[in-house]
Amino acid sequence: MAAFYESLLLVMAAFILANLLFYWPDQITWLTDWLPVPFWAIVLMEFVGAVFMVRLLINTGVLTALTSYLFYFVGMGLITYILIGALGFESQPYLFMTACFALSWLAGYIIPGAPGGTGVRELAFILLCSPKMAEHEAIVIIALIRLISIFSEMAIYFMADKFSRPYRHLSAWSGKTMP
């Protein structure tokens, strides 16, 4: 059940930041024309869902987890913004790039069949950014973001492995699964 709640919170955080895209409605007309309901209805559904989740799980750490996920998306938006400047591409609004990353991450997370959202996140990012940014620039940015994600996950794994070694004898599984 914890995995379900974690997934729900990740999706909620991505949706919250994806709403920032609607500050540039002329840039995402292909998306807004496709939506079967008006934007305000989507925001209302998200707000009611968020209030329900907070009331249901007020003392369970949900707000802390949701805040952590929001910081993740904001941080990845910052990395995207910094990469655009570092590579000399035309500057884009920070909130727009954060929302594009959050929505493309959400597409890669939700669409089944692609392991880790491989290809889906990249395609969604390119489609979302194409009105404001050249496609080749979006491809370079999202490929670098994928590499940064892979290397940061590897670094966190190796750090956790190193720091957990002194405590392995405390695990109930220490003699069965850990070397």
Side-chain angles (χ1 to χ4, degrees):
M1 196 60 151
F4 170 75
Y5 286 134
E6 183 175 359
S7 294
L8 190 62
L9 287 173
L10 275 165
V11 169
M12 190 183 304
F15 265 127
I16 288 169
L17 288 175
N19 286 324
L20 295 172
L21 281 175
F22 291 99
Y23 285 115
W24 294 274
D26 55 328
Q27 303 295 327
I28 56 166
T29 54
W30 63 271
L31 178 64
T32 54
D33 292 343
W34 173 80
L35 288 173
V37 294
F39 170 67
W40 65 266
I42 293 172
V43 172
L44 181 64
M45 288 186 287
E46 289 175 1
F47 180 74
V48 169
V51 168
F52 176 74
M53 285 293 295
V54 168
R55 290 188 58 131
L56 182 66
L57 304 167
I58 194 77
N59 294 324
T60 59
V62 170
L63 295 178
T64 304
L66 183 61
T67 303
S68 299
Y69 296 141
L70 287 172
F71 275 122
Y72 165 74
F73 288 119
V74 168
M76 290 305 290
L78 182 63
I79 290 172
T80 305
Y81 185 75
I82 290 170
L83 281 174
I84 290 171
L87 295 174
F89 297 153
E90 183 180 341
S91 181
Q92 303 299 328
Y94 166 72
L95 293 177
F96 181 77
M97 297 313 299
T98 302
C100 287
F101 176 81
L103 194 58
S104 64
W105 179 92
L106 182 63
Y109 188 72
I110 289 178
I111 295 177
T118 306
V120 176
R121 179 169 74 174
E122 287 78 5
L123 177 65
F125 186 83
I126 293 165
L127 287 174
L128 289 168
C129 291
S130 61
K132 287 184 126 339
M133 162 185 275
E135 286 184 11
H136 70 278
E137 292 177 354
I139 290 170
V140 169
I141 294 296
I142 196 65
L144 287 173
I145 289 173
R146 177 66 77 170
L147 287 174
I148 289 169
S149 296
I150 290 169
F151 285 122
S152 64
E153 289 173 9
M154 284 175 33
I156 289 170
Y157 169 78
F158 288 122
M159 285 189 315
D161 182 57
K162 179 175 176 44
F163 291 134
S164 68
R165 283 188 185 156
Y167 304 103
R168 287 194 180 174
H169 67 283
L170 299 174
S171 172
W173 298 95
S174 62
K176 298 177 180 91
T177 59
M178 294 185 174

